Amino acid sequence: MNALDRYALRRTVREAGQTLALAGVASPEVDARLLAEHLLGGPLLLADGAPEGFAPAYAALVERRAAREPLQRILGVMWFRGLELECRPGVFIVRPETEVVAGAAIEAARAVASEEGRGPVVVDLCAGSGVIAAAVAAEVPLTRVWAVEIDAAALALARENCERLAPGRVEVVGGDATAPAVLAELDGSVDVVVSNPPYVPAGEVEDVETAGYDPDLALYGEGADGLRLPLAVIERAAALLRPGAVLVMEHDPGQGAALRAAALGAGFTEAVTGQDLAGRDRYLRAVTEPNPRT
């Protein structure tokens, strides 16, 4: 198979974008470019052509993406708040809306560092691949982070991602994030709990890529409304957090009112719903009762 000159290369990538658009891919031109750069080993903009064998290898990747295999799975990497993390089969692929959730937790951690002049203690419950924990550690350098994950494949990946991106900064723990015995030694001392738990209501995954490639364990929150696990996270967070501390938890757009009520019922004195960049209700931000003034 012949090599491609720069004009043939760009025409090939342009045609791939058209193929992906017809397949219903949300960002076809971007995905076509990233697939090409994956094979080229550098930016398409700087490429003066492609070597022999590029065309069939590229066509195979485009075919996989057109079949709606997630881009992150094909490339083996995913991106989150400027970090590049490894992506593996069987582990949940992080979504852009979770960057807003992580941002709210990072803001709360920074407030502790600024107002109290110390490194905050942050716990990430249902940590998955470790993306939130790694982002908190990377963006708030004095933070001490614990991350809890029950799935063995996700746990192994979280340890690798966190150690590579924030060496020695994140303690990744295997176990049920809602179990009182897990991190019991931290009860009453945590400044921020952040969580992206399984929360999807039964049968409500509509995106073909999510339904086909993300594990059910990371998606469904159990119960018809998907609230069993999020409610358990609220209860566990209430025990972990110190007075005046913050819980940030991602949820389905239709779960905001129920989770605000649950947080207030669990002893939090403030519970509000935050929106993602598309304006949809996306996360709970709840604050524990502060210490009484003396």
Side-chain angles (χ1 to χ4, degrees):
M1 186 64 66
N2 293 332
L4 302 178
D5 64 25
R6 62 183 306 165
Y7 302 105
L9 171 61
R10 282 153 180 77
R11 182 174 62 251
T12 299
V13 174
R14 185 168 60 252
E15 291 171 350
Q18 294 167 354
T19 297
L20 296 181
L22 290 173
V25 172
S27 53
E29 292 84 6
V30 172
D31 287 20
R33 175 178 58 79
L34 290 172
L35 290 171
E37 292 178 344
H38 176 66
L39 292 177
L40 293 168
L44 177 64
L45 184 65
L46 301 180
D48 203 32
E52 183 177 347
F54 172 88
Y58 184 57
L61 296 186
V62 172
E63 183 178 359
R64 289 170 63 186
R65 186 67 186 110
R68 305 305 297 275
E69 182 175 348
L71 179 70
Q72 297 93 328
R73 276 281 303 272
I74 297 171
L75 301 181
V77 297
M78 53 190 176
W79 302 271
F80 190 79
R81 294 183 66 90
L83 301 177
E84 185 176 287
L85 303 104
E86 185 172 346
C87 178
R88 290 181 190 159
V91 181
F92 183 75
I93 299 169
V94 68
R95 301 300 193 271
E97 53 264 31
T98 303
E99 295 195 7
V100 177
V101 179
I106 288 166
E107 180 181 318
R110 284 175 173 162
V112 172
S114 174
E115 294 168 10
E116 302 190 20
R118 61 177 177 83
V121 175
V122 176
V123 170
D124 179 5
L125 298 178
C126 306
S129 59
V131 294
I132 296 179
V136 172
E139 295 188 42
V140 191
L142 296 177
T143 307
R144 294 169 291 164
V145 183
W146 280 259
V148 182
E149 174 55 45
I150 194 169
D151 178 72
L155 179 69
L157 183 55
R159 284 178 171 149
E160 292 179 28
N161 278 329
C162 289
E163 188 56 31
R164 180 172 56 82
L165 296 167
R169 302 280 317 291
V170 182
E171 181 71 26
V172 182
V173 178
D176 181 351
T178 67
V182 176
L183 298 186
E185 67 277 12
L186 296 180
D187 281 0
S189 67
V190 176
D191 297 298
V192 180
V193 169
V194 60
S195 182
N196 180 15
Y199 58 71
V200 177
E204 290 196 14
V205 173
E206 298 179 354
D207 178 74
V208 295
E209 296 181 23
T210 298
Y213 291 93
D214 279 322
D216 288 354
L217 182 66
L219 292 174
Y220 297 105
E222 300 184 8
D225 55 10
L227 286 173
R228 193 190 77 78
L229 289 173
L231 292 174
V233 167
I234 289 175
E235 292 291 337
R236 185 69 194 108
L240 283 165
L241 291 167
R242 64 170 177 80
V246 176
L247 163 66
V248 177
M249 183 178 70
E250 184 169 331
H251 60 69
D252 182 82
Q255 296 171 336
L259 293 175
R260 290 194 304 271
L264 294 174
F268 290 86
T269 57
E270 176 186 334
V272 298
T273 300
Q275 286 72 44
D276 60 24
L277 295 178
R280 297 168 297 189
D281 288 352
R282 182 54 62 190
Y283 65 91
L284 169 72
R285 186 184 189 279
V287 182
T288 57
E289 183 175 6
N291 278 323
R293 293 183 179 181
T294 56

